[in-house]
Amino acid sequence: MIPGVLVGHHHRVEPGWATGTTVVLVPDGAVGAVDGRGGAPGTRETDLLDPSNLVQQVHAVCLSGGSAYGLAAADGVMRWLSERSIGFRVGAQPHHVVPIVPGAVIFDLPMSEWGNRPDASFGYAACEAASSEFELGCVGAGAGARVGSLKGGVGVASTTAGAHRVGALAVVNAAGEVADRASGLPWLPSLGTTAVALPERKPDGLNTTIGVVAVDADLSKAECRRLAMAAQDGLARAVRPAHSMFDGDTVFALATGAVPLAEPRAFALDALCTAAAEMFAEAVVSGTREATSLNGVVAFRDL
């Protein structure tokens, strides 16, 4: 996606299991922010991303299945980072650090047998697998994802906005649909060009889209939060309804600071926000398009 930003997956897709964890690693640190919408969030370490609070940079974002149980995956991410002395310095020795790892989870429990959910080992293994090249679809946190009546998954999209790179990663697990049930046409034409017959929706509570938008710009925490807010607009373009009482839609923003933001800053930031919304929408399309049918949940590609 963006230089300095790595992505790793770990999942179990086998009898009794369909869940996993995706880690977005920034070992050199990145300014972080978050925007959460909907009525059912599952998050960790989001308060510290408030612009008024002390910590300015994060070292990873942990995205996981397993509902609130899956928040434990971030413990493994912290262990992996601490073993490499990566984190917020709190003491005199190089290893006296506290890794800053915000996280969010999707609700995918019905896709696995009860008790089969990500733990700290998933987060650690995802870090071990982190790379600039990675798989999409039913991998990592998207293993058990679902979007409306269809199978969801992990998707990405990236573009340029002026001198900057903008990338988005989405774990698509929304309660809403990616296509209009009345017409069968996708909300975004980039998902498909013809109408499809959507399966009947199963009211089992699978919900929440989470993800990350990343840029190489030098942004403050407040500016970074504007990116996260804009990305939520992209989600609303690709899935309807979005941000419901049954979704915990959460988007993190990361700014590596590699490229100074042009002046006047407000106009340059607005261009980044426009791109963030577009790329998150396309990442949702990517996650839906790359997903494969699993456990009786049909993928868009199979319609």
Side-chain angles (χ1 to χ4, degrees), residues 148-161:
S149 54
L150 300 173
K151 187 71 180 71
V154 174
V156 296
S158 63
T159 189
T160 58

Side-chain angles (χ1 to χ4, degrees), residues 2 43 79 105 124 129 154:
I2 304 296
T43 58
R79 181 164 67 88
V105 293
Y124 192 94
V154 174

Side-chain angles (χ1 to χ4, degrees), residues 191-271:
L191 183 57
T193 57
T194 58
V196 295
L198 293 176
E200 287 299 315
R201 188 195 313 225
K202 297 178 182 178
D204 53 12
L206 288 166
N207 50 66
T208 297
T209 297
I210 55 180
V212 175
V213 59
V215 298
D216 58 7
D218 183 11
L219 302 181
S220 68
K221 286 174 74 176
E223 290 169 332
C224 215
R225 185 165 186 267
R226 297 299 307 183
L227 285 184
M229 294 168 64
Q232 294 275 18
D233 294 337
L235 172 58
R237 295 173 191 172
V239 174
R240 302 179 192 179
H243 312 143
S244 74
M245 285 298 294
F246 307 100
D247 290 291
D249 301 328
T250 302
V251 179
F252 297 91
L254 299 173
T256 66
V259 182
L261 190 64
E263 296 291 347
R265 291 184 70 88
F267 288 95
L269 177 63
D270 190 62

Side-chain angles (χ1 to χ4, degrees), residues 5 12 16 21 28-29 44 48 71 77 105 122 128 131 160 177 196 238 244 247 277 295:
V5 180
R12 291 186 66 175
T21 298
D28 294 330
R44 166 179 170 143
L48 61 79
L71 292 172
V77 181
V105 293
F122 278 62
E128 289 281 270
S131 171
T160 58
E177 298 280 7
V196 295
S244 74
D247 290 291
N295 289 357

